[in-house]
Amino acid sequence: MNSTAMNLIEHALLTYTEGTAMQAEEDGGRFQQQQDEFVESARSCAVRTLCEDAGNLDWQYTVVGLPEHIEEARALLAPGRLEYLRYRVDCTDEDRTSVGFELVRPCLACGHDQVTQVSSLFHLGRLLAESAAEHTDAGEDDPQDSASPLAGIHGLQARASRVTGLARHLAAQHPDAALVVQFAHVTGHQDGEGRAELRLRAASVDAAADVARTLGAHLVTDIYSTIGTYVFQRGDTTTVVDGIEVQLSAHTQLSEEEADAWRAEQLPTTDAEGGENK
């Protein structure tokens, strides 16, 4: 094969490689723009239907676990609560598109979500009042049982059910996070009070950050080095959801390039006079 043919082959391959990389970058930019526009549509709908505060919630775009013809953005009502608002567009075909603005109330006891179309701020308040009343009616603490010799075990089943339901809810909502239950603990005390704990580990720090947002929490991250050449990023958070203390953690090994950059940042710097700054 002569040099001219070889140059042509190399030129063609280089052009193809650069072209596909540029196309992927352009596609990624367009997809991000579409996501941003969809989230803005969700915010606008929230403001029109409810109030300005609803538009200021932390709206997140998601397609996880949804059919291809459905897009969704959701926002937690408040940290430590599972209820969330969702803006959903169902494009079953080109001629029919339905838009829904709904309140989703996950039930940790039965494992099913209660979904209700929300029409106004008054309507949302009524739904939340009904949920609070239902939660009180089904509460685990009965004042009449506080003096019972068995007060320490009253409510254990309810707490255990909530812990199980929360773990299943998060695993179903974040399948890519590959959540692992490291520890689950439920206690009951003589006065009828008790506590519930759930410790989870995610497959990566990025996945843990997504789960943390669902919990209304912020993942705290740092980077550390172990024996040898390995460098890891670690993420941790602790929050309370429906009376359950949830601890979430994850570790991600940095690439060689990322590890080298991190090590370079750890080296002492020198000032203009040649002295060391640590």
Side-chain angles (χ1 to χ4, degrees):
M1 186 177 296
N2 58 43
S3 59
T4 301
M6 180 59 71
N7 289 339
L8 175 61
I9 292 172
E10 293 176 350
H11 192 188
L13 289 173
L14 179 61
T15 301
Y16 171 76
T17 301
E18 292 176 345
T20 52
M22 184 179 300
Q23 184 64 47
E25 184 175 348
E26 291 176 354
D27 291 343
R30 282 195 294 269
F31 183 62
Q32 184 61 51
Q33 182 180 356
Q34 291 172 358
Q35 288 188 25
D36 294 342
E37 292 174 352
F38 190 87
V39 169
E40 284 306 311
S41 296
R43 292 185 189 278
S44 298
C45 182
V47 172
R48 290 194 309 270
T49 307
L50 302 177
C51 62
E52 194 72 30
D53 289 340
N56 293 330
L57 295 175
D58 184 20
W59 287 90
Q60 299 288 331
Y61 179 88
T62 181
V63 292
V64 176
L66 299 176
E68 291 184 359
H69 56 86
I70 291 179
E71 287 185 282
E72 183 179 300
R74 59 180 62 171
L76 288 173
L77 289 182
R81 298 184 62 149
L82 292 179
E83 303 105 321
Y84 62 89
L85 295 169
R86 79 178 185 192
Y87 173 82
R88 174 176 284 195
V89 174
D90 184 353
C91 299
T92 305
D93 55 51
E94 296 182 357
D95 299 326
R96 185 179 63 184
T97 299
S98 63
V99 178
F101 186 72
E102 301 157 327
L103 173 67
V104 181
R105 291 171 285 178
C107 178
L108 298 185
C110 68
H112 298 290
D113 294 343
Q114 185 175 355
V115 181
T116 309
Q117 189 88 13
V118 179
S119 58
S120 66
L121 189 62
F122 177 86
H123 186 204
L124 175 63
R126 191 184 76 189
L127 293 174
L128 294 177
E130 291 172 354
S131 292
E134 291 171 0
H135 191 273
T136 301
D137 292 341
E140 62 191 51
D141 299 321
D142 186 346
Q144 296 180 355
D145 293 334
S146 60
S148 168
L150 300 179
I153 63 170
H154 290 315
L156 278 177
Q157 185 174 0
R159 293 187 196 103
S161 178
R162 291 208 309 274
V163 170
T164 302
L166 179 59
R168 288 176 173 165
H169 171 76
L170 294 173
Q173 196 165 11
H174 299 276
D176 295 337
L179 288 173
V180 174
V181 176
Q182 293 183 296
F183 177 82
H185 186 59
V186 178
T187 61
H189 303 295
Q190 183 177 353
D191 58 2
E193 297 293 326
R195 60 180 290 123
E197 300 174 64
L198 178 64
R199 187 183 303 165
L200 300 169
R201 185 182 70 238
S204 69
V205 172
D206 288 343
D210 289 339
V211 177
R213 279 194 293 270
T214 297
L215 295 171
H218 174 68
L219 195 74
V220 178
T221 62
D222 65 347
I223 298 177
Y224 67 98
S225 178
T226 60
I227 298 175
T229 60
Y230 300 112
V231 179
F232 292 87
Q233 183 183 34
R234 175 176 55 205
D236 298 276
T237 189
T238 299
T239 188
V240 177
V241 177
D242 196 22
I244 304 168
E245 181 181 296
V246 182
Q247 301 173 35
L248 174 66
S249 65
H251 296 76
T252 298
Q253 183 178 340
L254 270 60
S255 67
E256 291 186 12
E257 294 78 8
E258 292 171 331
D260 289 342
W262 177 79
R263 292 191 191 93
E265 293 176 355
Q266 310 312 305
L267 295 176
T269 58
T270 56
D271 58 25
E273 298 179 357
E276 260 191 12
N277 293 325
K278 295 185 178 179

